[in-house]
Amino acid sequence: MNRPKDAEYEWKAAKSSGGATFSYNQHRYYKFKDNEWYSWSVMFQQWNKSRNDSVWFAEQIIQGYFVEVK
């Protein structure tokens, strides 16, 4: 999967095999804009507001699962 050019983070917590394949590929790239998190939809080729709350993002960042993309 190609990374969207304006992606800021890649989520590395899930594995891209087994049952997590769809979820991992569908919600792999994120960006933070106007105090909201967005995930890239592979299916629709667009950014959508994430359904995860700020606590989830904070925990994932602390655990090192979000990697800044450059």
Side-chain angles (χ1 to χ4, degrees):
M1 177 175 106
N2 293 329
R3 180 178 75 213
K5 70 177 185 172
D6 54 346
E8 297 173 346
Y9 298 93
E10 184 175 356
W11 186 54
K12 299 283 192 169
K15 296 181 191 237
S16 59
S17 62
T21 301
F22 176 77
S23 177
Y24 177 71
N25 289 325
Q26 179 66 14
H27 301 286
R28 181 175 175 180
Y29 294 106
Y30 289 80
K31 69 179 181 177
F32 190 71
K33 181 180 175 187
D34 299 328
N35 221 22
E36 294 279 348
W37 281 97
Y38 292 84
S39 66
W40 179 254
S41 171
V42 174
M43 184 181 300
F44 298 111
Q45 296 292 297
Q46 68 183 23
W47 291 103
N48 297 307
K49 281 188 181 180
S50 176
R51 294 182 183 172
N52 297 321
D53 63 18
S54 59
V55 172
W56 182 85
F57 282 99
E59 289 173 355
Q60 295 295 299
I61 290 168
I62 288 168
Q63 293 176 25
Y65 293 133
F66 272 95
V67 177
E68 274 191 80
V69 294
K70 297 171 176 125

